Amino acid sequence: MTDKLQRFSYWFVPFVFLFMGLCVTLSEPMSRNVIRVLYIIAAIKFFLNREEFFEILRNKKNFLFLMCGLIAYMIFSAMFFGQQFTGGENTIEWIFFSYNMLLFLPFIFFIRRFNVTEKIFITLGFGLLANDIFIAWQFTQGIERPITFLKGSFMQGTVIYVILLPTFLILSLQKFDDVRKKIFFSATFIASLIAFILLNTRGPWIDLAIILPLILIYEIRDRKKLLKIAGVTLIAAGIFLAIFPNTLERVKSIGQASSQQSVTERFLMWRSASNMIIEHPIFGVGLGNYDEEYQQHYIFDEAKEREQTHAHNVYLQFWAETGIFGLIFFCALFGYILFWSWRRSWCLFGKILFFATLALMLYGFTDYTISGYRAMRVYWFLFGICLAEIDWQEKLVDSE
């Protein structure tokens, strides 16, 4: 019976991880159910081998401390200042956000044991390519702001590309035993970059216009090669913009930001959030209360986009809604992830985690990305893969 169970686990567990890689960008309900299966598998593993589980907790105590601190403070803010656990969209989203954060535990348990990481990235690439085709189809139908299969707002889809484009660029620059993998990752990056541009969202364009060149500079030390890549990129961009004049007009509008209504609205929203912070600096207005407080007390009369529900800035939103302590916990967690991954950038997965996190944090200056738990599930999925692989590679280095 034990042998049969072991054979079944060696077939079933890799399948779950691969299926998660495919559906995490395609179906929010499906990926949520797969996560439940992963947690059940991890719980079974815990009961079978508690010593290994507690060793993982000891090795990752800093991450767990910061995550649990953030979750506990969100609960505190919801209970004493917010809309409790039954009301407020942000409160509900934070439950899902916290639920996804601990994904790294089943990953550390199983990924290296089954050696499926490259295959997971391939399934993740197929899911992204499906979204690329979907976006391109919407664009041909005259839809100016396409969405992904995860649905929600078009910004949810944008976050997916902000996280995964740095990832697939790094993968496309690596050497693999099988050249077909390099071709696949390179093709996925190019197709996804085109789809990302077709999303017509200027803030993320600026974000990745910083991050992607930084990756190339970090990865390619040959200046001549860098110049060739820059030249080819500029030529390709020129051809692309000539084919899609609407996108060209959107690019031109970046230089005319001060006259853009959407930019004016952002400044008004940031001023409203700042006023909320000034009046509630310590504990904020409470988790889940931002929308109501903004609409009733802080929206400016000249604001034309009067249905906005967040500050369009993750840092201002956190401070306004949960106070200075919520902002500190949030910045401490992601600051530590950046610091920890940068120190391990000698490793492929350290680079992936660092640049994906940096892109997400930069994007946070122009949008409230954390509210999109559908897209953030992609980040925590990637985080779990990278943490598990880095943990394994550090053990290999220590054993040598």
Side-chain angles (χ1 to χ4, degrees), residues 170-194:
I170 292 171
L171 287 169
S172 69
L173 295 171
Q174 306 307 306
K175 293 180 179 179
F176 294 94
D177 295 334
D178 189 343
V179 70
R180 290 175 298 179
K181 293 177 183 177
K182 185 177 181 66
I183 293 171
F184 174 77
F185 291 134
S186 300
T188 301
F189 170 74
I190 293 170
S192 299
L193 182 60
I194 293 171

Side-chain angles (χ1 to χ4, degrees), residues 380-397:
W380 293 118
F381 178 73
L382 183 67
F383 175 81
I385 296 172
C386 291
L387 213 64
E389 283 291 343
I390 292 169
D391 185 65
W392 177 264
Q393 294 192 23
E394 285 188 325
K395 287 179 181 177
L396 290 179
V397 171

Side-chain angles (χ1 to χ4, degrees), residues 34 78 84 99 111 137 153 167 169 225 293 344 354 381 383 391 398:
V34 175
Q84 304 297 322
Y99 178 71
I111 272 191
W137 175 80
S153 71
T167 300
L169 176 57
K225 190 174 182 180
E293 289 290 325
R344 290 155 181 81
F354 175 80
F381 178 73
F383 175 81
D391 185 65
D398 291 341

